[in-house]
Amino acid sequence: MKNIALILSYDGTNYHGWQTQKNGATIQQTLTEAINQILKCDTYVSGVGRTDAGVHARKYVANFKADCTIPLQRLPLAINAILPEDITVLNAVEVNNDFDARFNCTKKEYAYYIYSSKINDPFLSKRAYRTTYPLDVNKMNEGAQFFVGTHDFASVRSVGTPVKSTVRTIFHCQAEYVENHNFVIENAKLIRIRVCGDGFLYNMVRAISGTLMHVGSGKLKPEQIKEVLLSCDRASAGPTLPAHGLYMNRLWYNDTDELKSYKLDV
């Protein structure tokens, strides 16, 4: 029996997140059913993390154990033939028997996309959050630096899954303009907020993004981010932005893992 890791990408618009549940289609369930159909097995697919309903992934890692006689370089093509077009397996690689996509991941980066326009861009309506007022990306980036380090992030999380601690470490946090060729709205600028950490609380990146949006609009000064964190008060931070602007963007694995040779960054 092989332990096989898959690298995939997906548009989460039509799914109730990664984890299998009773009330709707999920990425995990859809991928598992495709694998079981191809390999004639009944396996469990473990993912690097839970993404919520509507959240996307540029790079995502999952693994499963099964007897697989299909050459691994052909396995993605076989699975993709079953999957819907909004989920794509990019690569497949055999990993050590004790490898787990979730527990072997050392760092994760999420990206959140925002654009300012009074008119909706139909090509971004499910892939970026629109605000109708201008944002100062330089001030947003200045404020983002206060999130870097080990802090109690209770003020930028939603109540959800119980956790033992709300302390996490953020390795980098940046706000920047990026080019986007999908725009049909003139003069609209796409802002990307990238947050990399050792782990995240429920809705943490979406709340960080909403707080930085308040900085960009002038509702908060960049240096006030420090006060927001120290308060541990959710009401002191910005809103939790909608799921459709969020992407799992980049993943890091240990040097000893077979996945190290694969490009997991975007």
Side-chain angles (χ1 to χ4, degrees):
M1 182 172 289
K2 296 178 180 178
N3 190 10
I4 299 172
L6 301 177
I7 303 170
L8 57 146
S9 295
Y10 57 81
D11 180 329
T13 302
N14 297 321
Y15 300 92
H16 289 251
W18 162 263
Q19 190 173 25
T20 298
Q21 50 190 281
K22 296 179 180 179
N23 65 340
T26 66
I27 306 295
Q28 184 182 38
Q29 177 186 3
T30 304
L31 180 61
T32 300
E33 290 175 354
I35 292 170
N36 289 344
Q37 181 176 339
I38 291 295
L39 299 183
K40 303 294 189 292
C41 65
D42 183 15
T43 191
Y44 174 80
V45 179
S46 176
V48 65
R50 300 178 183 178
T51 55
D52 292 333
V55 175
H56 317 294
R58 294 187 182 278
K59 291 291 172 68
Y60 190 96
V61 175
N63 73 288
F64 67 95
K65 295 180 180 180
D67 291 320
C68 178
T69 58
I70 300 175
L72 291 186
Q73 66 270 25
R74 293 177 53 193
L75 185 59
L77 296 176
I79 299 174
N80 287 338
I82 303 296
L83 289 173
E85 292 186 351
D86 49 10
I87 307 174
T88 297
V89 176
L90 304 170
N91 282 303
V93 58
E94 185 174 0
V95 290
N96 293 332
N97 191 59
D98 59 354
F99 174 88
D100 183 272
R102 176 186 175 190
F103 295 110
N104 285 63
C105 184
T106 58
K107 294 191 294 183
K108 302 174 188 175
E109 180 187 88
Y110 284 90
Y112 197 94
Y113 289 84
I114 304 171
Y115 71 102
S116 298
S117 175
K118 292 184 178 180
I119 301 174
N120 179 59
D121 189 316
F123 295 100
L124 293 175
S125 62
K126 297 297 183 182
R127 294 181 175 87
Y129 176 69
R130 178 175 67 93
T131 180
T132 57
Y133 47 83
L135 298 173
D136 187 328
V137 73
N138 292 323
K139 287 186 178 180
M140 292 173 69
N141 191 51
E142 184 181 344
Q145 305 318 305
F146 289 95
F147 287 114
V148 177
T150 301
H151 306 288
D152 188 330
F153 287 96
S155 57
V156 284
R157 70 130 178 180
S158 299
V159 177
T161 305
V163 293
K164 294 181 180 180
S165 172
T166 51
V167 174
R168 297 290 186 273
T169 298
I170 295 299
F171 301 109
H172 66 249
C173 185
Q174 296 171 295
E176 59 197 348
Y177 284 126
V178 292
E179 291 186 7
N180 188 286
H181 300 292
N182 288 335
F183 275 131
V184 295
I185 307 299
E186 290 187 18
N187 301 319
K189 291 184 177 180
L190 187 66
I191 295 173
R192 178 176 62 189
I193 298 168
R194 292 187 294 128
V195 187
C196 173
D198 61 353
F200 296 92
L201 301 166
Y202 183 54
N203 284 342
M204 179 173 157
V205 177
R206 290 162 59 185
I208 286 176
S209 299
T211 304
L212 291 178
M213 192 176 73
H214 272 192
V215 173
S217 67
K219 292 181 180 179
L220 284 173
K221 295 180 180 179
E223 59 270 22
Q224 286 182 283
I225 296 297
K226 186 175 181 180
E227 298 172 16
V228 168
L229 289 173
L230 290 174
S231 74
C232 292
D233 180 6
R234 182 68 188 89
S236 69
T240 299
L241 296 185
H244 66 266
L246 184 63
Y247 297 72
M248 182 172 281
N249 196 53
R250 187 176 178 184
L251 301 167
W252 285 259
Y253 282 85
N254 294 327
D255 291 340
T256 56
D257 294 328
E258 292 85 346
L259 284 177
K260 188 65 179 179
S261 61
Y262 284 79
K263 186 178 181 182
L264 293 177
D265 58 327
V266 178

